[in-house]
Amino acid sequence: TADMELPEVEFLPFSAAWPAVRDGYPGWLADHEATGAVFASGETPQRQALGEVTLVGRIDRTDRFADGSVMLLDYKTEPTGTTRDRTRDPMEDTQIAFYAALLPQDTLRAAYVNVGERDGSATFEQAEVVAARDALIEGLQHDLQRIAAGVPLPALGEGTVCDFCQVRGLCRKDFWEAA
């Protein structure tokens, strides 16, 4: 709050919820580490070339297992139902598929860690992350080829996550112009 020069009242909701959030995380972490997961990196910027463009992002956490496999984790502080819904249709879960595309591993696991004040912390794994990542990459390459050919692309993005996207306006429907 000091670094961001936030008024104390802006931090009040978080500080009220923090004890419950904080107390639920160590149990989740112990259970997670009991699976053999070992912290590898956190808040790590990633870059991955995809043809003539470079994908850029920051992954909350990656873990390694004894067999060398990797699991990427994305922390969420939202209702558990919202996090659970993210993993229902892997082809709609573009966020974790994009993060998977940032990593060099051909196979990996990925999950959201919901850190909540009511339900504690829980893991919601995206079991089909490799298929979702591959479909995302294929779709991006197809769209980039169309852009290079001068084909206009429709705006497809919608939802609250678009409010925080660094490329807001590239795909959001509220930027469509009437013809």
Side-chain angles (χ1 to χ4, degrees):
T1 57
D3 288 347
M4 296 175 70
E5 299 178 13
L6 293 175
E8 200 169 308
V9 296
E10 295 228 11
F11 196 67
L12 188 58
F14 181 75
S15 63
W18 176 244
V21 171
R22 176 198 60 216
D23 294 345
Y25 186 78
W28 170 85
L29 184 60
D31 291 345
H32 178 68
E33 289 176 341
T35 69
V38 176
F39 178 84
S41 66
E43 287 296 322
T44 308
Q46 299 287 336
R47 300 175 72 79
Q48 185 70 19
L50 181 64
E52 294 183 21
V53 300
T54 301
L55 305 179
V56 177
R58 180 179 302 274
I59 296 176
D60 288 351
R61 176 180 175 146
T62 56
D63 287 357
R64 289 205 178 271
F65 293 86
D67 65 1
S69 63
V70 171
M71 182 175 205
L72 77 88
L73 299 167
D74 187 62
Y75 290 99
K76 295 294 180 199
T77 57
E78 61 192 9
T80 55
T82 303
T83 308
R84 185 178 293 109
D85 288 347
R86 290 176 183 279
T87 61
R88 286 213 167 108
D89 184 351
M91 295 307 157
E92 290 294 321
D93 187 10
T94 56
Q95 181 182 12
I96 211 148
F98 184 87
Y99 290 155
L102 290 170
L103 295 176
Q105 287 79 14
D106 187 42
T107 60
L108 67 140
R109 293 172 57 197
Y112 296 105
V113 178
N114 185 281
V115 183
E117 61 185 283
R118 291 187 189 158
D119 302 321
S121 296
T123 304
F124 296 90
E125 188 162 355
Q126 181 50 270
E128 301 296 325
V129 70
V130 172
R133 177 208 56 205
D134 293 350
L136 177 78
I137 290 171
E138 183 179 321
L140 283 170
Q141 290 173 326
H142 178 258
D143 288 348
L144 291 170
Q145 289 170 354
R146 292 182 68 206
I147 290 169
V151 177
L153 300 177
L156 301 174
E158 57 187 58
T160 57
V161 73
C162 296
D163 293 336
F164 305 101
C165 182
Q166 291 182 1
V167 290
R168 179 184 165 95
L170 181 62
C171 64
R172 183 132 179 183
K173 286 183 179 177
D174 64 355
F175 288 90
W176 277 6
E177 292 183 20

